[in-house]
Amino acid sequence: MTTLSIIKADTGGFVGHSAVHPDLLATAQEAARRAVGDGLLLDAHVASCGDDVSLIMTHEHGADSERVHGFAWDTFQETTEVAKRLGLYGAGQDLLSDAFSGNLKGMGPGYAELEFTDRPSEPVICFLADKTEPGAWNLALYKMFADPFNTAGLVIDEKMHAGFRFEVYDLFEEKRITFDCPEELYDMLMFIGAPARYVVHAVESRNLTEQAAATSTQRLSLIAGKYVGKDDPVMIVRCQSGLPAVGEVLEPFSFPYTVGGAMRGSHHAPLLPVSIPDAHTARFDGPPRVVALGFQITDGRLIGPRDMFADPSFDGARQQANTAMDYLRRHGPFEPHRLPLEDLEYTTMRALEARIAQRWQPMPEVATTMAR
């Protein structure tokens, strides 16, 4: 069995929260080269989206491997030290623990992992996002694996016609449920349409009993108890041969749908599909970005990447995203651009509520003049 792991962390932004400094990438690349040479990893690729370093790795140690997670933790400690020397913004901000404790659960870095037996041809797309939350993948995964208007294979591919099984996490209550689609599609949409709380964690083919997708589901604010940075999720999607074709996996991003994130993690903004050179935020710490790195995996080797959004067919989505951003920004501090109060992460609301608590008065039973 091959395991594909994407482990990411923000260990220092250049400039502000916008990008990763080349020295951090070089440090991570050298660590990955050593890990492959020492036999820990079969192969590795270092990438970035916004201010996050992502380690894309193949190995044979399974998900939640102490050795692989420990390697990623040590690598992020190294990049943090480089960030501190360079005076980068928020050096080590995603590392929420002082010491590694077996795996990365609850420690800050986000990760998605998927185990599979290599098919004769194994095309995989690794999605990396910046300035948004784990639920940002919900709409895209619904369209890839449950919407026949997006994925023709659900209708005309015999291997896909039985549908897919979705595993959904409730991040607030820390519980999970599975939905068999298409039969339970409407039930599932009731939950995943609220992406701040309910997140698609994995998707499996009901016909092939093969896992097709995996996402990161870590929410930093729920781990730390305060805002320490946006979650910046990652996702793995396998393609072809009874799973959605590459074009069907990319198609949802032709519409720059709205996600939570952007400035101070507290605004709705369009998700902008970009090529690797444009994978750094600017306007209002956004718009939130997503890149798609395509690989062929052969005997554990990562053949690639191919920059899947570096294509003019996504120019329309990019233009539409900029137009949508213009529209939303005109709302300023008002909803729906600003997130609802219960979802705000960078907020003075708690302190403000405490400060003015004694000034609230019962509403009058009849109309009166304004209270003084």
Side-chain angles (χ1 to χ4, degrees):
M1 293 281 284
T2 299
T3 304
L4 176 59
S5 300
I6 308 177
I7 305 180
K8 52 70 60 180
D10 177 355
T11 57
F14 171 69
V15 171
H17 285 299
S18 63
V20 176
H21 192 279
D23 288 2
L24 273 67
L25 293 176
T27 299
Q29 288 163 351
E30 176 58 24
R33 186 193 63 78
R34 293 195 305 266
V36 172
D38 293 342
L40 173 63
L41 305 177
L42 297 173
D43 204 355
H45 177 78
V46 177
S48 66
C49 183
D51 52 359
D52 292 278
V53 176
S54 290
L55 307 175
I56 302 172
M57 303 169 284
T58 53
H59 54 89
E60 296 177 326
H61 306 292
D64 292 315
S65 163
E66 180 173 355
R67 294 182 64 197
V68 174
H69 283 212
F71 159 72
W73 179 262
D74 291 341
T75 300
F76 294 143
Q77 293 277 20
E78 291 183 43
T79 58
T80 294
E81 290 305 311
V82 175
K84 288 178 179 177
R85 290 200 299 271
L86 295 172
L88 301 184
Y89 190 78
Q93 73 168 32
D94 280 5
L95 307 185
L96 304 182
S97 177
D98 294 329
F100 182 70
S101 59
N103 64 52
L104 291 172
K105 184 176 181 180
M107 299 187 69
Y111 58 94
E113 299 184 290
L114 199 156
E115 296 179 67
F116 54 90
T117 300
D118 288 20
R119 299 171 292 174
S121 181
E122 190 64 60
V124 174
I125 300 180
C126 298
F127 292 93
L128 317 175
D130 185 49
K131 301 299 182 291
T132 187
E133 59 192 2
W137 304 130
N138 284 10
L139 189 150
L141 285 167
Y142 153 69
K143 294 187 74 65
M144 290 176 204
F145 292 100
D147 181 2
F149 280 75
N150 180 92
T151 300
L154 293 167
V155 177
I156 65 178
D157 186 332
E158 183 179 10
K159 295 179 180 178
M160 294 174 62
H161 200 73
F164 290 84
R165 178 171 294 116
F166 289 71
E167 182 180 39
V168 176
Y169 280 14
D170 179 344
L171 299 184
F172 290 5
E173 298 291 336
E174 296 188 334
K175 57 187 180 182
R176 62 181 179 174
I177 188 172
T178 59
F179 294 97
D180 286 345
C181 293
E183 302 96 303
E184 298 181 303
L185 177 59
Y186 294 169
D187 295 343
M188 182 181 74
L189 287 172
M190 179 62 74
F191 294 95
I192 69 170
R197 175 170 179 171
Y198 298 100
V199 174
V200 177
H201 174 66
V203 182
E204 177 184 275
S205 166
R206 295 171 64 188
N207 180 49
L208 304 176
T209 63
E210 291 266 2
Q211 186 173 345
T215 75
S216 60
T217 56
Q218 297 75 25
R219 281 201 66 175
L220 291 171
S221 62
L222 297 181
I223 297 170
K226 61 181 181 180
Y227 185 84
V228 291
K230 208 59 189 165
D231 310 289
D232 306 334
V234 295
M235 175 170 66
I236 301 167
V237 182
R238 299 170 70 199
C239 309
Q240 310 287 158
S241 302
L243 303 176
V246 167
E248 292 169 332
V249 169
L250 297 175
E251 178 66 14
F253 300 97
S254 65
F255 168 56
Y257 57 88
T258 302
V259 296
M263 178 59 69
R264 304 180 188 277
S266 298
H267 294 80
H268 285 119
L271 185 61
L272 183 67
V274 295
S275 61
I276 294 171
D278 291 328
H280 42 78
T281 56
R283 181 186 182 186
F284 205 62
D285 275 4
R289 307 291 160 110
V290 56
V291 297
L293 304 182
F295 295 92
Q296 292 285 156
I297 299 180
T298 305
D299 297 325
R301 291 179 297 136
L302 291 165
I303 310 302
R306 182 167 181 267
D307 188 351
M308 307 302 289
F309 288 148
D311 189 273
S313 64
F314 289 96
D315 287 349
R318 292 186 269 264
Q319 180 57 53
Q320 189 176 11
N322 283 318
T323 300
M325 193 67 174
D326 286 341
Y327 171 78
L328 287 167
R329 284 298 303 127
R330 297 303 179 267
H331 290 78
F334 287 83
E335 299 177 17
H337 183 31
R338 194 185 74 181
L339 297 184
L341 288 177
E342 62 268 22
D343 293 334
L344 287 180
E345 294 189 351
Y346 249 133
T347 177
T348 59
M349 189 61 188
R350 290 182 182 178
L352 179 60
E353 284 180 322
R355 181 163 59 83
I356 68 171
Q358 301 305 314
R359 292 171 52 189
W360 288 99
Q361 300 177 27
M363 292 178 61
E365 294 182 5
V366 294
T368 65
T369 58
M370 182 175 171
R372 298 287 181 182

